[in-house]
Amino acid sequence: KRQLIVLMLWTAVSPVFSMENSTVLYRKAALTAAGGKYDEAVNEFLKVIKVNPSYALGHYGLGKLYLYRENKIKDAVKHLEQAVRCDRGFAKAYFYLGMAYMLDKKYSRAAGAFTTAYNLDRGMYEALFNLSIIYDTINNRYLSRRYYDRYLLEKQKRELDILF
């Protein structure tokens, strides 16, 4: 009976330990990537995901890293999509998913991701600029201008907040 209680307790507590481990591994992988050791960082992000496949930051870090790697856009999309599936409120993941879609020439999906990023975090006004670029690329001058004007307005607001 005592072994059963210990087993039940371990089963209840072990996901917490996995999350702590994945967080520590994520921080290490992010520092490795920031230090320019991209191949090593890829392996570290893969370890994060192996420890906890539902950890949004692990998929986000790997997806973001793949954006800067040659011929890895599809992998970036895959992991950034997983990141937003794991955490629907993760504005930065939506932003970089928009970048991945844009680089993959999936403009409609990119627009949706940038819109979601901005709606989740109004401080992410760069998403408005990227929406302007997307609509310019697909020759919708009206929406391109509209989003560019909104971008300039938000940027100006932020700059005035800094000054005053």
Side-chain angles (χ1 to χ4, degrees):
K1 185 172 181 164
R2 185 175 195 178
Q3 289 175 332
L4 180 61
I5 292 172
V6 169
L7 179 62
M8 288 172 43
L9 183 60
W10 174 252
T11 304
V13 173
S14 64
V16 172
F17 289 126
S18 291
M19 288 179 71
E20 288 175 347
N21 288 339
S22 58
T23 301
V24 170
L25 288 171
Y26 170 79
R27 288 184 186 137
K28 182 181 177 209
L31 286 172
T32 301
K37 299 177 185 173
Y38 303 125
D39 292 333
E40 190 178 325
V42 166
N43 291 328
E44 291 175 1
F45 280 121
L46 288 169
K47 286 178 191 173
V48 173
I49 293 166
K50 186 176 182 183
V51 167
N52 188 348
S54 299
Y55 189 50
L57 277 175
H59 290 284
Y60 166 77
L62 186 56
K64 188 175 172 188
L65 183 60
Y66 279 151
L67 280 176
Y68 300 101
R69 308 290 290 172
E70 193 171 333
N71 300 318
K72 289 293 191 178
I73 295 301
K74 301 279 188 217
D75 292 319
V77 167
K78 174 184 153 188
H79 286 285
L80 290 164
E81 284 177 340
Q82 184 61 33
V84 299
R85 275 194 295 275
C86 292
D87 183 352
R88 295 285 183 196
F90 195 176
K92 285 182 183 179
Y94 279 105
F95 183 87
Y96 283 102
L97 179 58
M99 294 298 293
Y101 283 145
M102 196 161 73
L103 291 170
D104 202 23
K105 296 181 169 63
K106 291 184 170 46
Y107 300 119
S108 161
R109 289 181 181 186
F114 286 129
T115 300
T116 301
Y118 181 70
N119 287 338
L120 289 170
D121 181 354
R122 296 295 175 147
M124 200 169 284
Y125 62 91
E126 295 87 354
L128 298 172
F129 179 81
N130 290 341
L131 283 162
S132 173
I133 297 300
I134 288 169
Y135 286 113
D136 186 57
T137 301
I138 62 173
N139 294 316
N140 186 332
R141 302 287 183 247
Y142 172 76
L143 285 178
S144 176
R145 186 64 195 187
R146 184 171 164 216
Y147 280 107
Y148 186 70
D149 288 345
R150 284 182 64 194
Y151 161 74
L152 290 177
L153 179 65
E154 290 301 317
K155 184 178 181 208
Q156 183 181 31
K157 281 184 197 176
R158 301 295 184 267
E159 288 170 356
L160 287 174
D161 282 346
I162 292 170
L163 294 175
F164 297 101

